[in-house]
C-alpha cells in the first residue's frame, strides 16, 4: 500500500479547486477505491462524501447516486448501520429518479445488507425481493445479493437455504 499512499499523497498535493469537476470527481472515486480495498472505512467514507459533494454541485446525478450507494457500503464497513440505511435509502431514491434499473437493484442490495445488520428482517426481505429481479435482469446478482439472502435465511432459521445461498455466492465469486 505504500506505493498507493505515495501516489495519492502526490496527487493530493497537485489537486486544485479550479480543476474541472469531472476530474475532481474521478480523483475522489480513486481515493475512495483505495480506501475500500484497504478496508479503511473512514478514508472510504471521507472520499465518497467528497465525491458526492463534487458530483452534486456539478449536476453529475449518476455519479452522486453511485457515490451514495457506495457510501452505504462504506458506512456498513465502518459499523455505522443507521448511516448505511439512510445512504442506502437515498441511493435507491436517486437510482429510481434516474430510472437506472441495475443501480436500483444494487442500491437495494446494499440497503438489504444494512437492514439485516440492523435486525430489520421484514424490511430487508422487502428490499431483497425488489432487488432480485432487477439484478437478475442484468445478470448481476450472484454473490452481491446471495450472501445477503443467506444471512436473511439464517436469521429466519432456514439453515439449509442459508447454506445453499452461501455456496451459490461462493461459486459466483470464484
Amino acid at each position: 500500500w505504500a506505493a498507493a499512499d505515495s501516489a495519492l499523497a502526490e496527487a493530493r498535493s497537485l489537486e486544485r479547486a479550479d480543476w474541472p469537476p469531472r476530474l475532481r470527481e474521478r480523483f475522489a472515486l480513486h481515493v475512495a477505491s483505495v480506501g475500500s480495498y484497504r478496508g479503511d472505512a473512514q478514508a472510504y467514507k471521507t472520499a465518497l462524501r467528497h465525491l458526492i459533494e463534487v458530483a452534486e454541485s456539478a449536476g453529475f446525478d449518476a455519479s452522486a447516486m453511485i457515490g451514495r450507494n457506495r457510501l452505504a457500503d462504506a458506512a456498513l464497513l465502518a459499523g455505522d448501520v443507521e448511516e448505511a440505511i439512510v445512504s442506502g435509502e437515498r441511493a435507491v431514491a436517486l437510482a429510481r429518479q434516474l430510472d437506472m434499473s441495475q443501480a436500483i437493484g444494487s442500491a437495494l442490495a446494499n440497503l438489504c445488507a444494512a437492514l439485516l445488520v440492523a435486525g430489520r428482517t421484514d424490511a430487508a426481505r422487502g428490499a431483497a425481493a425488489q432487488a432480485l429481479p432487477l439484478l437478475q435482469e442484468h445478470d448481476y446478482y450472484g454473490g452481491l445479493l446471495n450472501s445477503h439472502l443467506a444471512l436473511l435465511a439464517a436469521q429466519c432459521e432456514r439453515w439449509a437455504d442459508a447454506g445453499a445461498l452461501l455456496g451459490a455466492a461462493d461459486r459466483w465469486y470464484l
Side-chain angles (χ1 to χ4, degrees):
W1 293 111
D5 289 338
S6 176
L8 288 177
E10 181 180 355
R12 280 191 187 101
S13 74
L14 299 172
E15 186 178 15
R16 295 179 28 186
D18 63 347
W19 278 3
R22 183 62 74 190
L23 183 59
R24 292 175 38 235
E25 178 260 345
R26 291 284 102 183
F27 178 62
L29 180 62
H30 292 302
V31 173
S33 294
V34 170
S36 171
Y37 295 140
R38 291 183 77 169
D40 184 343
Q42 292 309 316
Y44 189 23
K45 286 172 47 175
T46 299
L48 289 169
R49 286 185 182 119
H50 180 63
L51 179 148
I52 292 164
E53 178 184 309
V54 170
E56 287 178 344
S57 68
F60 301 154
D61 296 336
S63 292
M65 181 275 304
I66 290 166
R68 291 229 177 259
N69 192 24
R70 290 186 68 185
L71 183 58
D73 177 56
L76 197 55
L77 178 66
D80 298 330
V81 179
E82 283 307 311
E83 182 181 3
I85 291 170
V86 169
S87 293
E89 289 170 340
R90 286 182 183 162
V92 170
L94 285 170
R96 285 188 171 137
Q97 181 181 350
L98 296 170
D99 195 27
M100 298 172 65
S101 63
Q102 182 176 341
I104 297 167
S106 177
L108 283 164
N110 278 344
L111 179 59
C112 173
L115 292 166
L116 284 170
V117 172
R120 294 172 51 189
T121 306
D122 289 339
R125 185 179 292 122
Q130 292 175 60
L132 188 59
L134 296 171
L135 295 174
Q136 284 177 320
E137 174 185 327
H138 296 281
D139 194 27
Y140 185 68
Y141 72 100
L144 178 68
L145 190 58
N146 281 343
S147 55
H148 304 338
L149 293 173
L151 179 57
L152 178 60
Q155 287 182 349
C156 296
E157 297 184 8
R158 294 175 55 181
W159 310 117
D161 291 334
L165 287 160
L166 279 176
D170 190 52
R171 280 190 304 280
W172 189 79
Y173 283 112
L174 293 177

